[in-house]
Amino acid sequence: MDKLLIRGGQRLNGEVPISGAKNAALPELCAALLSAEPLTLTNVPRLQDVSTTLKLLRNMGVAAEPGATEDALVLDASRVTLTEAPYELVKTMRASILVLGPLLARFGRARVSLPGGCAIGSRPVDQHIKGLQAMGAEIRVEHGYIVAEASRLQGARITTDMVTVTGTENLLMAACLAEGETVLENAAQEPEVSDLAEMLIAMGARIEGHGTRRITVQGVESLHGASHHIVPDRIEAGTFLCAVAATGGDVVLRRANAAHLTTVIEKLREAGIDIESGDDWIRVRGSGRPKAVSFRTSEYPSFPTDMQAQFMALNCIAEGSSRVTETIFENRFMHVNELTRLGAQIEVDGHTAIVHGVERLSGATVMATDLRASASLVIGGLVADGETLVDRIYHLDRGYDRMESKLRAIGAQIERVGRAP
Ligand code: EPZ
């Protein structure tokens, strides 16, 4: 079981290359199922979740080969032999549900294991199912599997009960090959949804309104191949911004898009952090103790739930107290107990955590519980006195591309210990 050993107290200085967005790469890999022609993706991040998705697609008969550059992949779904996502694979990654829409749209059938819940919540997929049924799919759930059939999906007007990122993505992909017009009301506006839409348009889809709450799709007979460069990972970028804000230092993030992080950048400036940005870079300078800043998570473009744990780690060593309110997931405070082991003072009351900033954290052994919680513990370890050992960092490897080597390159004392996976 891999662990990260961190010796805290180092300021961070230098440059960090930001990788392609995990939450764009996963739907875009699944979208390869929509066409019989090759899809080339570049800026593909090296993540466990990407490897899992490729295993899932190869299991169906999709060919996935390295492209011309190290970060490129070429996918070929011209010989799909199985329209099924088995439990063994889906249980390790909920985003496997993203094959449901494409399989139904192109092949008219799909058998996808119900994704279990996960650490941060029950995470149902009822909106995915409801939307596909509105498009004419016959769907039943049996033996833990979603079994879906549709001779040809029909366009429909669909209003999801809440904003759902992968729900929007599944329905968007299905609508591309449905007959007629589909209108998705209450659509997710996350940049990763827009990036998927741009890729689908490059494949011949007819989509308007992505990036707003209403997306309109005119279905087409088929989609052709395309090449697509994956949007930078705004959550990886935000994670590094919080790390430098906490440790102090001067770092430039390369290939980062500040326009996708406006609320996080606003809150960091409120904390007294100096941030400048250009078209594809963000410079962050931290000096002295940050000020405590309250925030509440909500759908894009509001403060992202995926940045809640990382910003809370910053608040732990800030001057003053702050209120952190999580409105998206019902159980996304598991990092609180572990941050407390580092000496943080946090009280949880339902969906709100009150963080009382302390001067110093002290290193300890802590355990990662989910992807973004592990990132917050790494930030805690970077600022704690002495050594911090973060256990179960397979959570981190799911969604961060070579985090410890990127941190070492800007001065952190951090190394991976324990048996290789
Ligand atoms: C996506 O998850 C992201 N994952 C999550 O990132 C992110 O936290 C989340 O969106 C919110 O931004 C990917 O894109 C692969 P939702 P998703 O459907 O789509 C409820 C990370 O750390 N809901 O937008 O699963 C749901 O329970 C991960 O990178 C239903 O009730 O999230 C939640 O309360 C974690 N029924 C809310 O909606 C449904 O059918 C938003 O969930 C669907 C969702």
Side-chain angles (χ1 to χ4, degrees), residues 34 105 135 152-153 169-180 182 196-197 200-201 203-207 217-223:
L34 288 167
M135 297 171 83
R152 169 109 196 250
L153 291 174
E169 292 166 342
N170 239 336
L171 297 176
L172 175 62
M173 291 189 281
C176 290
L177 295 179
E179 186 155 21
T182 296
L196 169 66
L200 292 168
I201 290 167
M203 294 170 73
R206 294 172 55 199
I207 300 169
V217 184
Q218 303 301 333
V220 295
E221 285 303 312
S222 66
L223 294 181

Side-chain angles (χ1 to χ4, degrees), residues 22-23 123-127 164-166 306 328-329 372:
K22 167 179 87 82
N23 291 348
R123 305 193 64 188
V125 290
D126 56 300
Q127 301 297 309
T164 156
V165 172
T166 50
D306 291 350
I328 302 290
F329 290 113
R372 306 304 174 182

Side-chain angles (χ1 to χ4, degrees), residues 11 240-242 244-246 248-253 264-277 281-291 314:
R11 293 168 65 83
F240 277 99
L241 292 179
C242 286
V244 179
D250 183 351
V251 169
V252 176
L253 307 186
V264 174
I265 290 172
E266 273 163 30
K267 289 293 179 183
L268 285 168
R269 284 177 172 148
E270 223 179 286
I273 308 302
D274 181 20
I275 295 185
E276 299 166 80
S277 62
W281 58 269
I282 304 173
R283 181 178 182 184
V284 52
R285 279 177 286 181
S287 58
R289 201 170 164 200
K291 298 182 195 63
L314 176 63

